[in-house]
Amino acid sequence: MKTVDIFLSGLSGYGDVYLDLIAKTPGVRLLAAADPFFRAPGSSAFLPFHGIPVYNDPEEYFASGGRADLVIISSPIQYHRQQAETALRYGAAVLCEKPLCACSRDAYTLKEAAERAGVPFGVGFQWSFSETMLSLKRDILSGAFGRPLSLKTLVSWPRGDAYYRKEGWKGKRADDAGRAVNDSVVMNATAHYLHNMLFILGDALNASACPRTIEGLLLNAVPIQTFDTCFIRGIFADGCRLLFAASHVAMERADPIFEYRFEKGTVFFNENISGLVKAVFHDGREKTYGEPQAEAETARKFITMVDAVRSGIPPVCGIAASLPHLLICDVLNYHLKTVPFRGDLVTRRSNPDGYCVTGLNAALTAFYQTGKLPENLAVSPPGKAVDIHP
């Protein structure tokens, strides 16, 4: 079995997860890493212990004569495009954490570069690598569920002041150097769950569907450049409807839940209860697909990319499958206005220390249940529907 040589860019946060996966996976070898702010926190002590050099960025490593079979990019959003282009230029396969980059224009540029390089390129939407979701998608593609009718998802993950302060780029449209970031609750933290609805409806295993129109309400209580809360509605060309609600400033945490309705049955997921993806068909049959948040399932994006390097077969969640998520985010970032919450609803909490909004959990739940945009949260009405043009 060929040993797969790896270069890891980005050592804080999710980079530590990759270090752990590399250490536990046979047949892989970490040659070097990159992080200009490396201070050996947590499991990153693995690097100096094993004498693995740390560079400022991938360009410095490759320009010095370095090589790699696979480059994993776990750096902040504003570096994704540049670092992926560097890896491709030196002939390395790429696994880039979500989101792929700051906007769809950069994604199309990367798509062309990856096609020229002829190497596997994966985007780290881990549910789209899980056997749970791939098994469900195969059944959808086979016609077992019939036509999709509506898909909806709700996530409430409170984030305090430290979340935005620690990294320096969270919640920003651009960093201090002017590089586009567009970080928001839907672009980054809850991106997996919006993307999963698009991926599940793709007309091939390696494709995602894109809504025809998007509308919604974007709000912030935190003084950031983007938004900390969203209520999004979309319509696909076949009439299927999409609802997505997510927030960082609700009082209470609610891990992801979803309901995907089809002509022949409905698929349910509630991480707060069982964490299992389960389908109930109209004829009385039930089918459990698995637990997409299980450790073995979330590790599959790494294992899949290692296998792709050996086989040359691209992963199903590549650049093309990630593009609809960025197209939606482009609408949110550039065409819909973010408005502040009503001041009388915004308060402070102590765990975590940060802003929160009274009544927001109820508003998120009501939107999830009815699809009606809330009318009493913002100081101005929601924007009009926007067409998406891939």
Side-chain angles (χ1 to χ4, degrees):
M1 179 174 64
K2 169 184 167 56
T3 297
V4 174
D5 290 329
I6 295 172
F7 180 87
L8 172 62
S9 181
L11 293 172
S12 61
Y14 210 83
D16 279 349
V17 175
Y18 280 117
L19 285 175
D20 184 58
L21 287 169
I22 291 168
K24 294 191 299 188
T25 303
V28 303
R29 176 173 56 189
L30 182 63
L31 297 183
D35 193 322
F37 306 106
F38 176 63
R39 294 291 185 275
S43 63
S44 295
F46 173 90
L47 299 170
F49 180 80
H50 290 279
I52 295 170
V54 179
Y55 294 79
N56 285 318
D57 54 42
E59 183 65 46
E60 182 185 18
Y61 172 68
F62 284 107
S64 69
R67 57 161 300 277
D69 299 311
L70 173 64
V71 171
I72 300 174
I73 299 172
S74 187
S75 52
I77 298 169
Q78 61 266 39
Y79 301 106
H80 285 191
R81 174 190 163 180
Q82 178 187 6
Q83 294 186 356
E85 286 179 320
T86 297
L88 294 170
R89 192 167 68 249
Y90 285 95
V94 176
L95 172 55
C96 183
E97 264 308 302
K98 57 77 191 164
L100 172 60
C101 46
C103 62
S104 64
R105 180 180 59 189
D106 286 351
Y108 284 113
T109 299
L110 278 178
K111 186 173 183 291
E112 293 175 359
E115 289 169 353
R116 287 195 303 270
V119 295
F121 195 117
V123 182
F125 288 106
Q126 57 210 30
W127 275 16
S128 300
F129 291 82
S130 72
E131 185 53 36
T132 297
M133 294 302 178
L134 290 176
S135 179
L136 170 61
K137 186 170 183 177
R138 292 186 192 101
D139 280 355
I140 294 171
L141 288 170
S142 75
F145 285 89
R147 186 172 68 85
L149 303 176
S150 66
L151 286 76
K152 59 182 182 180
T153 299
L154 168 62
V155 190
S156 173
W157 280 345
R159 294 288 189 262
D161 297 337
Y163 174 79
Y164 294 98
R165 185 173 57 241
K166 179 182 178 183
E167 308 266 359
W169 53 269
K170 295 284 180 67
K172 289 189 175 181
R173 292 194 178 278
D175 66 8
D176 293 340
R179 291 176 290 246
V181 181
N182 290 327
D183 176 76
S184 70
V185 64
V186 69
M187 182 73 159
N188 189 5
T190 68
H192 291 291
Y193 314 110
L194 174 59
H195 176 264
N196 191 66
M197 293 190 283
L198 312 175
F199 182 73
I200 284 297
L201 293 186
D203 60 7
L205 204 58
N206 63 350
S208 296
C210 189
R212 185 183 61 199
T213 62
I214 284 290
E215 65 178 338
L217 181 61
L218 311 179
L219 306 108
N220 59 10
V222 183
I224 54 175
Q225 296 171 1
T226 59
F227 52 94
D228 53 49
T229 301
C230 65
F231 298 83
I232 302 170
R233 299 192 299 203
I235 301 178
F236 294 89
D238 62 1
C240 178
R241 294 184 175 271
L242 174 148
L243 297 178
F244 184 80
S247 181
H248 284 329
V249 293
M251 292 279 194
E252 299 175 4
R253 178 186 176 102
D255 287 325
I257 62 174
F258 72 61
E259 179 183 298
Y260 300 168
R261 291 181 55 241
F262 295 82
E263 283 182 320
K264 300 179 182 179
T266 303
V267 186
F268 300 94
F269 173 79
N270 189 331
E271 191 179 346
N272 306 281
I273 300 176
S274 71
L276 295 173
V277 174
K278 183 177 180 179
V280 178
F281 293 89
H282 296 336
D283 62 7
R285 292 179 298 117
E286 297 184 1
K287 182 173 182 178
T288 299
Y289 285 92
E291 186 179 358
Q293 302 287 55
E295 184 178 351
E297 287 282 71
T298 59
R300 278 180 56 86
K301 63 182 174 184
F302 174 70
I303 302 301
T304 298
M305 285 306 303
V306 169
D307 291 342
V309 169
R310 295 191 178 113
S311 68
I313 300 173
V316 295
C317 188
I319 295 175
S322 71
L323 266 167
H325 169 258
L326 284 174
L327 290 168
I328 291 175
C329 289
D330 279 357
V331 169
L332 306 182
N333 291 326
Y334 302 117
H335 298 285
L336 291 183
K337 181 181 179 181
T338 297
V339 297
F341 282 97
R342 281 173 35 201
D344 61 307
L345 299 178
V346 179
T347 184
R348 297 279 297 178
R349 60 170 170 251
S350 59
N351 187 24
D353 290 340
Y355 294 90
C356 60
V357 176
T358 302
L360 181 52
N361 283 103
L364 291 166
T365 300
F367 175 76
Y368 181 79
Q369 293 173 342
T370 68
K372 184 179 179 181
L373 291 170
E375 298 177 348
N376 60 349
L377 293 179
V379 298
S380 59
K384 297 180 179 180
V386 178
D387 291 340
I388 294 180
H389 302 286

